[in-house]
Amino acid sequence: MNAGPDSDRSTRILSRRLVLAGLASGGTIVAAGPVGAACALTPRQPEGPFYPVAIGEADGDLTRVSGAGGRADGTVIEVTGRVLGAGCRPLPGCVIELWQANRHGRYDHPGDRQHTRPLDPNFQGYARLVADKDGAYRFVTIVPGAYPASRYWMRPPHIHFRLRAAGHRPLTTQMYFAGNPLNDSDRLLAQVPPDRRAALEVAFDRRTADNIPAGSFDMTLAAG
Ligand SMILES: [Fe+2]
């Protein structure tokens, strides 16, 4: 190792450059590496044709509908995450809309004509959440079913998201389930560069206190 006076001088010069860089960027020095990687912009995905035409109940428990009396069919899961923006800062107040097919791969939407797949009166299908002071959000739902987008294309289970936050570009994307074999042949997920797909694929490898499978889906919006 070169640990003499030259090394000390190099360290001082490097430190001064970092300070200058920090001042130039508004006084904050953001380290490269894991922090930078965590704040990479979330890949965009098409909105798809099934954003609800009529919005009713929109709370964070999609497994129950007021007055319906039962619980939605399917495997209950918990999704939590944080919404970040410019400089990796949390985005409190970010509006998070999400919608998905039910257990049978059917949307409660007049454009979904898969009438052999039943609707589920106990499934809410949509939620509208607001990120808290830490940019965090949470909802409980069921694993959506796969469904055919065409004769030759089966869409893997996924949840649609649409986010809006002050000072940032709106984000529309889709969340997938890590390890689902249909992910590999999905034409929309294929639009994401291979090294960025993990940002949209969530592993449900934890359990809540209620023994529900849980996964984390963080999203980062572009400033603008
Ligand atoms: Fe979809």
Side-chain angles (χ1 to χ4, degrees):
M1 290 288 291
N2 180 12
D6 285 351
S7 170
D8 290 346
R9 185 165 170 272
S10 301
T11 304
R12 278 200 306 276
I13 291 171
L14 181 61
S15 299
R16 201 166 65 193
R17 280 182 184 157
L18 281 171
V19 169
L20 290 172
L23 291 173
S25 64
T28 306
I29 297 173
V30 178
V35 174
C39 290
L41 298 180
T42 299
R44 296 175 181 281
Q45 290 267 271
E47 181 171 298
F50 299 130
Y51 179 85
V53 292
I55 291 172
E57 208 164 296
D59 62 82
D61 183 357
L62 285 76
T63 70
R64 293 184 188 278
V65 175
S66 297
R71 207 214 71 195
D73 285 342
T75 302
V76 177
I77 53 171
E78 180 196 73
V79 182
T80 55
R82 290 180 79 209
V83 186
L84 304 172
C88 273
R89 284 186 283 272
L91 292 179
C94 177
V95 175
I96 302 158
E97 292 183 285
L98 60 110
W99 66 100
Q100 64 170 87
N102 68 20
R103 154 81 178 83
H104 309 285
R106 173 91 183 265
Y107 286 88
D108 186 6
H109 188 287
D112 188 345
R113 301 185 186 282
Q114 304 176 96
H115 296 310
T116 56
R117 295 167 180 262
L119 289 169
D120 179 350
N122 295 309
F123 182 55
Q124 190 171 290
Y126 170 89
R128 184 181 183 279
L129 312 173
V130 178
D132 72 10
K133 63 179 173 42
D134 300 314
Y137 72 90
R138 171 187 179 273
F139 63 94
V140 176
T141 187
I142 51 95
V143 178
Y147 62 85
S150 74
R151 203 167 153 188
Y152 306 103
W153 173 19
M154 196 72 174
R155 291 238 56 215
H158 60 276
I159 300 176
H160 295 265
F161 283 81
R162 205 162 84 168
L163 280 66
R164 282 176 286 123
H168 290 75
R169 290 177 58 199
L171 171 68
T172 300
T173 192
Q174 300 184 27
M175 186 208 94
Y176 298 83
F177 293 76
N180 190 291
L182 289 170
N183 290 353
D184 297 335
S185 54
D186 185 55
R187 295 181 194 176
L188 297 188
L189 196 48
Q191 295 174 0
V192 179
D195 66 338
R196 295 292 298 129
R197 281 177 206 162
L200 300 183
E201 294 177 315
V202 173
F204 286 81
D205 51 7
R206 291 185 287 112
R207 293 261 169 184
T208 66
D210 300 332
N211 207 27
I212 295 170
S216 297
F217 184 44
D218 296 337
M219 288 171 276
T220 302
L221 278 61

